[in-house]
Each structure stands twice: as structure tokens, then as C-alpha cells.
Amino acid sequence: MMILQTLISGILLGGIYALISMGLNMILGVVRIINFAHGEFLMIAMYLSYIFYAWGGMDPYVSAIFIVIILFVLGLITQKGLIEPILDKPASTKIFATLGLSIVLQNLALMIFDANYLSVTTPYQSSVVNLLGIAISVPRLVSFGVVIAIVILLYLFLQKTMVGRAIRAVSMQRQAAYLVGVNVKRIYLLAFGIGTALVGLAGSMLMPIYSVYPTLGASFVLIAFVVVVLGGMGNMFGAFYGGLMIGVIESLAGVIFSPGLKEVIYFIIFILVLLIKPTGIFSKGKGSEAVGL
Amino acid sequence: MSKKHIFPILLAICAALYPVLSDDRYIMNILIMILLYATIASGWNILGGYGGQLSLGHALFFGLGAYTSTLLYLNFGLSPWVGMIIAVIVCIIAGMLIGIPTFKLRGPYFTLGTIAFAEVIRHVTLYWRDLTNGSMGLNIKYEPSFAAMIFKEYEYYYWLILGLLVLTTLLVHWIDRNKMGYYLKAIREDEDAAETLGINTSKYKMLAMMISTGITGLAGVFYAQFNLFFEPESVFHMNISTEIALIAIIGGAGTVYGPILGAFIIIPLNEILRASFPDIHGMNYFVYGILLIVIVILTPNGLLPIITKWWDKIFRKKVSKTKGVTKYDLESQ
Amino acid sequence: MILKVNNVSKHFQGVKAVNGTSFHVEEKEIVGVIGPNGAGKTTLFNLISGSLPVTSGTIEFKGETITNQKAYILCKKGIGRTYQVVKPFGTISVLENVMVGAFNKHNSRDQAAKISKEILKQVGLYEKRDQIGNSLTLADKKRLEVAKALATQPALLLLDEVMAGLNPSEVKEILPLILQLRDEGITIVIIEHLMEVVMTICDRIVVVHHGEKIAEGTPKEIANHPEVIKAYLGDEVSYA
């Protein structure tokens, strides 16, 4: 029972990781940028959620709608203002531009909110539903439901709509997509926006569960990197499974070994995947690891 | 020896004489940090700048060097002078072991791989308290003696790290002027093309990795002896890795003196910003981040190439105006 | 015989890019490899130069079996190649680009520079030796490809469409260079779409289609070969 309980809480936790990682993967797969500031967008979303709650009395699940839109716009601004001008620059420029952005945002938060941990209180915060003797936290269950809904919506969007197909085309064959008339820059913009919107949603879902503090992004972005590599770059749904896997591994490792070792364990799994299948466990694409910045 | 070498040699001599002229401990401390970071960034430069393998995990070797020599000293009383050699060997072996899987990866994936390895070691160090004392870190008792590599006067630390930097620079200089430098640059630009021109790319990347990690480990030993205290976060943290790479890149990755220039810019900049905004928590790093973005965007190849260009414009008008002159021609003059 | 390709195949997940091809090249010959787009010509080069492993078959170079040896080892043994999609080392100078190749046979920098400068003069890039690789025009990048491969001092040189995308006067400049290289003792295998070029400079021509060799012979024989005419007219008219 203990193991089952752990397994379920791991899957629920993994949903949040999946959401964050799908955003990162969208940006990495389409724009070919490692967005080191991705975790900071999560942090911003959570602070926004806190502000909506503290000043407007708005429930995090309600303010999620506004936060997703705000984060989408922030993504557009970042792509237009920071990433687009450096697309032809060396890889090091791209890495340090987003690293610089992450430093700026982290310390902006520190200046505004100080290093305190902020959290919201909701009526359902500690509610639990009992399923066959397994206690499941309501906010975690809600967030997982949202994740599933988003995965389905994203799948439909990428498979069925023209824009979605264009995004996939750009992520697979940038040159060819350009030649058949896809406005590649526009697609980059959209992909970055969707990427940050996804992490915005993740922030809203996290707020009832976690506290927010300026350096929160750093730990989450590392997890997201692991998930993306596990799932395979450009493979949006690989990131979903990868996220669930890391969630389960983290929970199990905490029970079986020690909570202090959970990072070690998933980083070691990450390294093993690199050794055995560098394109990611769930990837079908060959040689996608060779796609340089 | 050509004219071109006179400038750096004079600079090194002036630097060596500095402690005779001044004994301001604050300035000396900053200078030691600059020289330390210049050394590590020069080591990183061999792999990241010349070879184009952008590692963001070099803190691993910095910390590994520090922990290796210090644990040997604390547990077995082994002199850090000997510990230094062992630390370098340990770091080279660790570099090889990490190179085997990560060199299969290209571009951003290599970078992510290096981050992952550094994170594993950081967390293992935090967890394995019996050996590493966990987050409490390691303390070296202040008992000045040459054998223990602990000095009362800052000058000795200063000369020690200056010597390390000079040796590192000579090594990078040698690489730059020889086959290996050309081969690493070719690998950086296009690995497949490099391979068809007769370059054993795996071998050269591994060589660059080993030299690079050895130097970084050596610097870690120095840091431990200078600070006499460190903990996992202060030696293994990703911020150290990014700082190392940043210094090399801002100065000019893939050039001999770029990382040194970078250290002389970034370390004092950090100090100045810290001193400028003592009241607002985070303001210094906020400004630092903005400057960083602006600098990397405006000078993607670093500052040294720009300075060299100005220098040439002013002092070499006659040559550069008509045809330009290759790096090679300049050096063989 | 400097090169012998025996029944070589390369399959990519069921696609037979090269399928049971055999041919040989004599010392100091210029052999043309032609065929419609997607016939497997570049893949054949990738197999000979060691950039890709073969699925089956063997390749012999100077009497030694070299199948599936690594590209850098084959370069050391004397196989040089250019890429159809040019691969200049973009941020280093033209001279340094060529010096990378020259280090294949020379360890001294001065020696490498000396040889590279001679080669640059030969291919007509000497004046541009200080420019960085990326700044060259396509025609010059193609020249640079040849210069880099030459600098490794190959016995066998594989030229992959070094004239595609060049205008007629540029083509005229590069033709004598190829003949001159042969006179210096280098054996050349050339993939080319320009029939005119192939017909003038090649001693023999190998025609591939759908990964298989369909004809082999002197330019005159090939021009009148019914299979060849069929293959070309069937797929694409690049004759005119």
C-alpha cells in the first residue's frame, strides 16, 4: 500500500514536471535554444499567482487564465527582444543570453519580494480524497487533471491545425519548412510563447502546493532538463512520459533510499540514458541529438 | 622571441613585482581571485573555447580538486603539495570518465550532460556526510607552514597562483601555435569535416578535456588552501561553472589571453557592483545580469578580438589597411 | 589498381541507397560517377571515405581492405574528399582552414603553412587567405573544399560536385586544376552533374541509378549507352 501511495503521489508530482518540461521542450525543439531562464518564468508565474491571491483575493485556479496569457506575452517579448537578434550568433551567446536573463529575473524577484517564502492558503489546500484506502491530495489531483487536458489539447493542436503542423515542420526540418513557405520566425515566436504559457500554467498549478521564492526556478529547470533529455528533444509527448517517470523516481527514491539522494538518482538515470540512448527513451527520431544550437 | 611576446612578458613581470610595492590585503585578495579565475577559465578555454565543447560542469573538477587534496590532508596528513598531484590525476581520470559518454553528444546536449554530472557530484557530496562532512563543509586548521601550503602572508598565495596562471598560459600558448590548436578549432567548427581531414576527433576532444580538467583541479587545490574552508555549494555549484565559462567567453574564447582579460573584467565588476548597492538585496546581480546580456550580444566573440583590432588599427595601419595580415604572418615576423 | 569497390551496399532502414555496386579505379585515372539525383553517388563517397559504415561488401585501397575504417584513418592512408554541401571552418581564416588539412602529413606549423600557401596559390585563393571561411562566396568555398582536401596530400581524391552552382567561367577555371592534379599523380573520382565537364575530363565513367551501377565505360561508350539514356530521360533531363 505504501508503495502504491508513493507511486500515485509520484505520478501526480510528475504531471507538474511534465508541464514545465513540455514548455522547455517546445522551445528547445523548435527554436533550438536551451532556455536557462525557463525556471524563472515558473517563478514569475507563481509570484503573479501570489499577487492575484494576496491583492485580489483570487484563487490560483481562477487567476491561472490571466497568468497563462501574461506568460504567453512575456514569452513573445523574450523571443522578439532577446532571442531573435542572436539566432545567428554562436552557441555560447545563446546560452549566456538566457543565463543572463535568468540572473536578472531571479534578482528582480529578490529585490521586490526579498528572499521570503510566500504561499497561499486555500480551503482545499489540505483536502484529501480517499480512493481504496489511498489518500490523494486534492490540489495535486486537480493539477494532474489539468496536465492531462493540456496534453490532449496540445496533441490536437500540433496534429490537426495548420499552425500546429507548421510548428512540427519547423522542429523537424527548419530548412525545408522555410522553403515551403513557413514563416519560420513567426513560428519561433509562437513556440516560445506557448512554451512560457505552459510553464505559466504549471506555476498556477504549483502555487496551492508549494511556496515561491526567488531561486525556485533553478531547481525546477534542472529537473526539466533531465526530463527533456529522457523524453527526447522535439518529442513533446516524450517530455510528458519523462516528467511522470521523474516524478515516480523521485517519490520512490525518497522512500526506498533517502530524500537526499533523489537528485542523484535521477541524474544518474539521465546519464545512463545519455550512454545508452542519447536521443531519449521515448524518441523515435534518429540523430536528433546531433542537431546543434 | 618576437616583438609580440614582449608585452605579455612585461605584464607578467610587473604582476610578479606587485606585492613588493603594495601590501593592501583587500586589493591582494581580489587580485588572487582574479588570477585564480583566470587560471580556471584558461583551462576551460582549451576545451570550451578552442574545442567548442561548451562545458557548464567545470565546477565539478574545481570541487573535486579541493576535496581530494583537503581530505588527504585532513585524514592522512598528506601535504597538499603531494595532494595537488593526486588531485590533478583524479580530475584527469574523472574528466576522461565523463568525456566518454558526454562526447557522444553534440551542441546543447553536451552542455546539459556536463551540468548533470556536476549536479550528481554536488548532491553526492552533500549526502555522503561520513566522508565529506556534507553541507557543513571542510575546515583546514590555520597552521602556517610551507609543507601544509598555508601562508601567513598573502604574497605567497599571490605568487603561487600567478605561477600557475603563467604555466597555464604557456601551455595554452603552445596549443594555440601547434597542430592541436588548429585541430581543436576545426573540431569546434565542424566535426565531420575535421574527421575527413585526418583528425581523430575523439582523441583530441579527450586530450582537451584532460588538460582542461587537470588545470581546474589544480586551481581547486589552491582555492582550498587559500580559503581554508569550503562546502559543496561554494565549489560545486552551477554558478561557479557558468562563471568560469562566462569569463572565458567575455574575454574571448579560443584566444590565449581572452580568459585572463575576462577575469580582470568580471571579478572586479562583481566586487564593484557588490560595493555599489549594499542596501538593496539582489541589485548587484540584477545589474550584473543586464551587463552580461548586453556584453555577450554586442561582442559574441569576446572583447579581446575587438581590442586587438583597435590595436592593429592604431599601430599597424600600413599592413592592415590594404590586405590585412594573417595571424600566422604576424607571429612569424 | 588504387581503389576497388566490391559489391558494396548501404541500406538506411529499408531504403537501398547503394545496392551491390562494384567498380575499380586505376592509378592516375580520372573516373566520373554520374547518375540522377538520389542515385546514391554521395552515399558511395561516404562509404569509401569512411564517413558511413557499409551494410555489406568490401572496399580495397592500394590492395588493402579498408571497409568500415574510420574517416580520419583513411585520410591518413591517402583518401581525401570534398563535401557537396561545403563545410568550411567558418570562423578561422582560409589559410588556417587549409593548414588543418596540411597537418595530416606535417607536424610543424611552418611546414603546414608553407604547403597550404602553395595550395592556395594553385586553387586561386591565395589573395583571400586572411578572410574567414564564412565570408567566402560559394565558388570560393568550393575551391576551399578542394584546397583542404589537397592539403592532406591524398593519393586518391574524391570530388563531390565541386562545380555545381558555379557559373561557366568559374567552371572553366577549375577544370585545368583537376587535370593538373592528375598530372601531379593524384587519382581522382569525381561526382558531377555537368555532363560537358564529365565528358571532357574523365577517362572512364560509372553510371549509378537507384543505388545500382547500370553502366561503365569511356565517355563515348556512356553517351551512347541505352540504359543510361533511359535512366536520365526517365528521371530527369539534365542533359541539355
Side-chain angles (χ1 to χ4, degrees), chain B residues 177 179 189 200 326 328 331, chain C residues 72 91 107 109-110 130:
Chain B
R177 299 301 185 273
K179 183 162 143 176
E189 299 295 323
N200 183 348
T326 39
Y328 179 81
E331 281 148 19
Chain C
Y72 73 92
T91 67
N107 280 318
R109 192 167 69 121
D110 294 315
D130 306 328

Side-chain angles (χ1 to χ4, degrees), chain A:
Chain A
M1 214 40 139
M2 175 73 173
I3 290 294
L4 198 60
Q5 171 86 51
T6 314
L7 215 62
I8 287 179
S9 74
I11 289 174
L12 297 185
L13 175 70
I16 304 258
Y17 290 165
L19 205 51
I20 300 169
S21 311
M22 280 158 70
L24 185 72
N25 205 11
M26 174 73 99
I27 296 167
L28 186 62
V30 177
V31 195
R32 306 272 157 84
I33 286 256
I34 310 182
N35 182 17
F36 282 97
H38 198 68
E40 275 61 46
F41 285 104
L42 179 75
M43 178 267 293
I44 290 175
M46 288 177 73
Y47 272 117
L48 286 173
S49 183
Y50 176 82
I51 290 170
F52 275 111
Y53 165 81
W55 298 354
M58 206 182 272
D59 187 276
Y61 292 143
V62 178
S63 63
I65 303 157
F66 303 107
I67 289 171
V68 166
I69 294 167
I70 295 171
L71 264 287
F72 179 76
V73 173
L74 282 180
L76 297 188
I77 295 170
T78 310
Q79 170 67 18
K80 201 81 197 160
L82 182 67
I83 308 298
E84 214 179 275
I86 56 167
L87 281 175
D88 304 327
K89 297 276 166 66
S92 56
T93 308
K94 294 176 188 167
I95 288 177
F96 280 97
T98 60
L99 260 174
L101 182 64
S102 113
I103 296 173
V104 168
L105 295 176
Q106 231 176 68
N107 289 285
L108 190 66
L110 189 61
M111 284 157 65
I112 299 172
F113 299 100
D114 221 339
N116 301 324
Y117 283 56
L118 301 175
S119 54
V120 302
T121 338
T122 54
Y124 48 79
Q125 198 152 33
S126 43
S127 319
V128 164
V129 288
N130 262 300
L131 250 173
L132 303 166
I134 297 160
I136 299 170
S137 133
V138 168
R140 283 176 195 256
L141 197 60
V142 170
S143 72
F144 191 73
V146 170
V147 171
I148 298 292
I150 287 298
V151 169
I152 294 168
L153 280 176
L154 203 62
Y155 178 80
L156 292 175
F157 170 70
L158 288 176
Q159 297 290 331
K160 304 288 176 197
T161 67
M162 274 307 279
V163 186
R165 285 190 194 135
I167 289 178
R168 285 196 303 141
V170 171
S171 99
M172 285 185 261
Q173 275 289 335
R174 193 186 333 208
Q175 205 65 35
Y178 175 76
L179 289 175
V180 299
V182 175
N183 184 339
V184 173
K185 272 192 181 162
R186 179 94 59 57
I187 293 297
Y188 284 175
L189 197 61
L190 190 63
F192 210 105
I194 294 174
T196 51
L198 285 171
V199 84
L201 186 62
S204 291
M205 295 301 119
L206 260 184
M207 202 58 214
I209 310 170
Y210 276 69
S211 312
V212 59
Y213 49 95
T215 54
L216 165 122
S219 47
F220 276 94
V221 80
L222 284 176
I223 297 174
F225 286 154
V226 175
V227 170
V228 164
V229 170
L230 284 185
M233 171 159 105
N235 183 344
M236 210 56 68
F237 305 101
F240 173 67
Y241 301 125
L244 297 191
M245 236 178 89
I246 288 299
V248 170
I249 291 166
E250 188 178 319
S251 302
L252 286 179
V255 173
I256 297 169
F257 300 100
S258 139
L261 275 180
K262 61 182 196 200
E263 282 97 345
V264 174
I265 291 178
Y266 60 63
F267 276 119
I268 285 175
I269 289 174
F270 169 87
I271 289 160
L272 286 177
V273 172
L274 288 185
L275 270 168
I276 298 158
K277 199 174 176 219
T279 50
I281 297 179
F282 304 102
S283 91
K284 287 167 256 166
K286 52 179 184 318
S288 52
E289 86 287 354
V291 184
L293 269 172

Side-chain angles (χ1 to χ4, degrees), chain C:
Chain C
M1 200 185 308
I2 187 164
L3 180 73
K4 194 159 181 248
V5 176
N6 289 323
N7 202 18
V8 158
S9 297
K10 177 68 189 177
H11 300 174
F12 294 105
Q13 298 182 337
V15 180
K16 293 170 180 172
V18 173
N19 198 17
T21 298
S22 302
F23 69 95
H24 72 277
V25 179
E26 299 289 339
E27 209 122 345
K28 294 194 191 183
E29 243 188 331
I30 299 182
V31 171
V33 176
I34 63 168
N37 278 330
K41 302 175 301 258
T42 297
T43 308
L44 198 55
F45 268 22
N46 283 334
L47 300 177
I48 299 170
S49 67
S51 300
L52 282 177
V54 304
T55 308
S56 65
T58 58
I59 300 166
E60 285 168 41
F61 176 64
K62 291 180 171 170
E64 176 198 356
T65 306
I66 54 153
T67 326
N68 291 351
Q69 289 189 6
K70 289 198 165 139
Y72 73 92
I73 293 172
L74 295 179
C75 178
K76 291 251 181 286
K77 288 186 173 160
I79 299 179
R81 76 165 293 185
T82 68
Y83 283 95
Q84 179 189 1
V85 181
V86 290
K87 292 174 182 284
F89 301 130
T91 67
I92 62 177
S93 77
V94 166
L95 177 62
E96 288 173 312
N97 261 274
V98 183
M99 281 170 74
V100 171
F103 279 118
N104 188 43
K105 291 279 163 74
H106 303 276
N107 280 318
S108 133
R109 192 167 69 121
D110 294 315
Q111 195 68 25
K114 202 178 127 212
I115 287 162
S116 301
K117 284 180 181 170
E118 277 162 23
I119 290 169
L120 283 173
K121 279 178 193 156
Q122 205 178 3
V123 301
L125 277 178
Y126 187 69
E127 296 300 312
K128 293 175 181 161
R129 67 189 182 285
D130 306 328
Q131 293 186 18
I132 60 164
N134 276 340
S135 71
L136 296 179
T137 61
L138 179 65
D140 283 342
K141 280 178 182 162
K142 296 239 166 184
R143 283 199 182 92
L144 181 57
E145 280 290 308
V146 178
K148 278 156 67 182
L150 277 180
T152 65
Q153 303 187 324
L156 172 69
L157 182 59
L158 309 173
L159 298 174
D160 194 349
E161 296 206 17
V162 282
M163 282 166 255
L166 304 192
N167 64 39
S169 73
E170 288 166 337
V171 170
K172 261 181 203 137
E173 282 172 34
I174 214 164
L175 274 183
L177 172 68
I178 294 172
L179 294 169
Q180 188 194 340
L181 292 178
R182 188 251 298 270
D183 292 341
E184 287 171 12
I186 301 175
T187 308
I188 292 166
V189 180
I190 181 167
I191 293 177
E192 201 45 78
H193 265 300
L194 299 168
M195 278 306 167
E196 204 187 302
V197 172
V198 183
M199 292 294 165
T200 24
I201 63 168
C202 291
D203 302 314
R204 273 189 311 123
I205 293 172
V206 173
V207 189
V208 287
H209 186 40
H210 292 318
E212 288 171 29
K213 183 175 86 175
I214 57 168
E216 185 178 346
T218 62
K220 206 175 254 172
E221 288 163 2
I222 292 300
N224 301 316
H225 200 291
E227 280 285 328
V228 178
I229 295 165
K230 204 175 98 194
Y232 268 84
L233 292 179
D235 282 68
E236 160 196 39
V237 189
S238 70
Y239 231 26

